[in-house]
Amino acid sequence: MSKWIWYHGDFEIYHAMKQNFDREERGMTWPAYWYTSNWNHNVYFKRDYEVTHKQTFIVHAKGKGYVKITNLGSDEHESKFPLDTKIESPIGHIRIQVFVSNMQGLPTVLVEGNQIFSDEEWVASNFLGSDVSVGTSKYFTHANQNPMKFEYSQRRLMASKIEIIDGGTLYDFGHDITAQTLFKFNNNFQQITLSYGESRTEALDVLGTYLKHTLKKEKDPLGQYYPETKTFVTKLRAFRYIYVPDVSNLKKIGQLSVNFEYVDFPQIGNFKSSDNELSQIWKIADRTLRLCSGVFFIDGVKRDRWVWAGDAYQCYFMNRYDFFDKEIVERTILGLRGELDIKQHLDTIVDYSLYWLISIELYYETFANKNFVNNIYQKMKRLMDYSLEQTNDLGFIYGRKGDWIYIDWADIDRNGTLCAEQMLLARALQSMVYISKLLGKDDTFYQKNIMIFAKILIIISGMLQSMLTLTAMNLG
């Protein structure tokens, strides 16, 4: 089966940028406040074939480029062909290369043929260094798809309850959802305001609500009016309630519905208890996790909608017991890490870089996919080395200017070397050694750094033992 292919990690970098630039707050678009990695704009893909009889194939691409076939026999004859045309391959040992560039978007390729087709066996290059494995997804296997547009499952929903309050109309959808709002006008467009809320109180607070949208017929940055269907479609938002102020008979103007977007993850895990309240807690927790699980694990569906490494690390554990999806973990790991060169801690947070390093061991422990770990090892090594560059003479990590020391909002002095950070660094070094051994890489440097913490642990253990002995003596 043919699959769309791209330079490994680029799909995730591209979509992470879209995700982290999508936050909306009180009429403003609020992009993430950290360095954003870029994807490769000029790449080529290749694979060698042993062709016993002539094969016909076609290459689809997102971008500009061409196809090159090299006869790897004695003459090494080369032939070049345009994209999106049927190509007949020669017989023998051949190499097929697809060169594609895309200034604005993601260079991707789909090769369709009986013997010659794109899959995980192809490799990619950005013209620097060694070839890398291509990236693929189970969601992108058809020529009419565009890997730059993630295809969600969709379901049209109507409000479960409608109330007239203070001269306006309140729509209740039963629980939080992530959806586009659709308003189909009966006749001509009329300007109305949509006030969103997780609660009734928030939605009814038209002046202070977090998300509010006054529809514009033209040049509306938060949605679009389609005159042919007389329908306005907003951007994706999270809410339970929508309040339309100053309109008590909205049916005269039109009909409001929503387009619920989600990824249809399987129901692998389940939980039931004789305690109905406990069963309800599981049900709501499962629904909340699924709302926060799309292209990536995100921190929340309403406000940030950003990919945070700390929030994602928790989701990796929950994913094990709920829908056990491997691809969303891979997408989140790759989207967080970005390009090979590291210029800043993930999400600007020192602890989050360390959580990311630990997550690679957790990933392998969960899915035992050595190939993915091997593909990401250089990015893991670069981040580990980057983190160790900001340790003092004792081997303790500290925050530099521009770094955020997070530690779960703890109300403590975060300056200098903190115990919690050293615990995470020691655990990240353990993961680095584990993965290095798994892949047969040299782990000597990281072993030396771990020994620093091993010695400290021996000292602390000795101190604790002495304290316990003194306590026992005093009690005696």
Side-chain angles (χ1 to χ4, degrees), residues 25-27 166 193-197 200-214 243-246:
E25 180 174 335
R26 295 184 171 87
D166 295 334
T193 295
L194 307 175
S195 178
Y196 296 85
R200 289 167 55 92
T201 302
E202 183 182 21
L204 293 171
D205 183 7
V206 179
L207 292 177
T209 188
Y210 190 83
L211 295 174
K212 182 173 65 176
H213 186 181
T214 299
Y243 181 59
V244 184
D246 305 320

Side-chain angles (χ1 to χ4, degrees), residues 7-167:
Y7 190 93
H8 192 271
D10 276 2
F11 173 91
E12 293 77 12
I13 293 172
Y14 176 84
H15 283 280
M17 184 182 288
K18 290 180 70 175
Q19 183 74 53
N20 290 330
F21 288 2
D22 190 50
R23 176 175 172 178
E24 177 192 357
E25 180 174 335
R26 295 184 171 87
M28 298 177 289
T29 300
W30 188 346
Y33 45 76
W34 52 73
Y35 172 78
T36 301
S37 287
N38 202 355
W39 59 92
N40 292 288
H41 291 268
N42 190 26
V43 300
Y44 69 83
F45 307 94
K46 73 177 181 182
R47 184 177 174 184
D48 295 351
Y49 287 92
E50 193 68 49
V51 180
T52 56
H53 59 280
K54 288 186 177 181
Q55 297 285 330
T56 300
F57 64 97
I58 185 169
V59 179
H60 308 283
K62 299 303 177 186
K64 299 178 180 180
Y66 64 95
V67 181
K68 183 170 77 171
I69 299 179
T70 304
N71 189 328
L72 297 177
S74 56
D75 62 350
E76 294 196 356
H77 176 73
E78 295 182 355
S79 302
K80 295 180 180 179
F81 306 88
L83 300 168
D84 294 308
T85 58
K86 285 188 177 181
I87 301 171
E88 191 174 84
S89 72
I91 296 173
H93 189 199
I94 65 170
R95 172 170 295 161
I96 298 176
Q97 292 173 280
V98 182
F99 296 81
V100 59
S101 64
N102 192 326
M103 292 179 65
Q104 288 78 34
L106 182 67
T108 59
V109 162
L110 180 77
V111 183
E112 291 185 305
N114 291 328
Q115 181 185 350
I116 299 171
F117 56 88
S118 50
D119 60 7
E120 292 84 356
E121 299 301 315
W122 286 62
V123 295
S125 173
N126 62 356
F127 302 92
L128 295 172
S130 303
D131 296 337
V132 301
S133 299
V134 295
T136 65
S137 171
K138 61 187 175 186
Y139 295 113
F140 293 97
T141 58
H142 301 292
N144 61 356
Q145 292 180 297
N146 182 354
M148 287 177 279
K149 296 180 180 179
F150 195 88
E151 297 180 355
Y152 289 89
S153 297
Q154 299 183 348
R155 193 161 73 240
R156 185 67 61 87
L157 299 176
M158 307 297 291
S160 58
K161 185 178 180 181
I162 302 176
E163 299 178 73
I164 306 302
I165 301 177
D166 295 334

